[in-house]
Amino acid sequence: MLIFDSHLDLAWNAVEWGRDLVDSVAGIRDSERDSEGVARGANTVSYYEMQRGGIGLCIATVLTRKIVDSFPPFIPFETPEENYFKGLEQLEHYQEMELLGILKNIRSREDLVNHSRLWLENTQGEFPPVGYILGMEGAEAILEPAAIPKWKDMGLRVLGPVHYGENQYGFGTGFDKGFKPLGKELLREMQDAGIVLDVTHLSDKGIDEALGFYDGPVLASHHNCRSLVPGERQLTDSQIRRLTERDAVIGVAMDAWMLQPDWEKGVTTPSATLETVADHIDHICQVAGSSEHVGIGSDLDGGFGTEQCPADVDTIADINRLGDILADREYSDDEIEAVMHQNWVRFFLKALQ
């Protein structure tokens, strides 16, 4: 089954972690066998594993930011200029993968229709390229709001203004503040340019301000349910309702600390499984009143590996088993296709210009 994964930090893994994503997952693990650090030798993502598992569409990010010490293992870029040039370096990775025929940049509705059909009608025995919509997690690489049109020309279609902590535009996970004045200017430029707003990692106050200020298309690329796992990183039922009223789609994440209450990084062992992921999918369906506003936003290899993802996930290809889990819960074929890819396709057929 075709899968659309709404959050993967592919270029960040390739450029900043030095991972050869053209290699197999096993090959990457072997290359990191003697490396020290969180998640080394425990990766789950490569381009072949995405293709093998049917992850033919995704939002692939540029991720650069100044990191505070409390949020390892992220690599800090200290100056705005360093963030900008690191962002361009990650963008270049995607362009190189396109030249190799591994990736296909989805910039328009026509691109999305054609690429979805390519995967759904593929009978050639060879995997098509992975289609990616370019996103950005944290806007540090955007030196000023007026640079939004330039980034759109370079392919940017989705932007989450803030990641963990604080940047020049506002406050994200870990703060109880919202947008700075420059952040409001950024939102205006995004709306004028038709850039989709990703509310993931905004603080509660930031989500509230964004939904009141920004009138363009909104999504939550990798978010789970606070009623199941307490914590500000998850969405409340009220936030889920507000997002669905805006016709947003919410991608359920596979980071175990967002699936297991009372998680302690470096201490807790994953007991969550893909069944737990399905619990969050089901909860969003119940709150929204339908299966039309939820999808997959795995965030696999987003600074963690198998030590912090569902216990029954070895590689990203295992996501495909969610279809059977939802079928066992009496979801219809149409509802399963909606969750696995169709909701995101429908969203971007509206949002892409």
Side-chain angles (χ1 to χ4, degrees), residues 284-297:
I284 293 171
C285 290
Q286 300 307 316
V287 173
S290 77
S291 60
E292 296 178 359
H293 298 281
V294 64
I296 296 166

Side-chain angles (χ1 to χ4, degrees), residues 297-313:
S298 74
D299 196 22
L300 289 174
D301 289 0
F304 63 96
T306 53
E307 84 292 342
Q308 195 175 301
C309 71
D312 53 351
V313 170

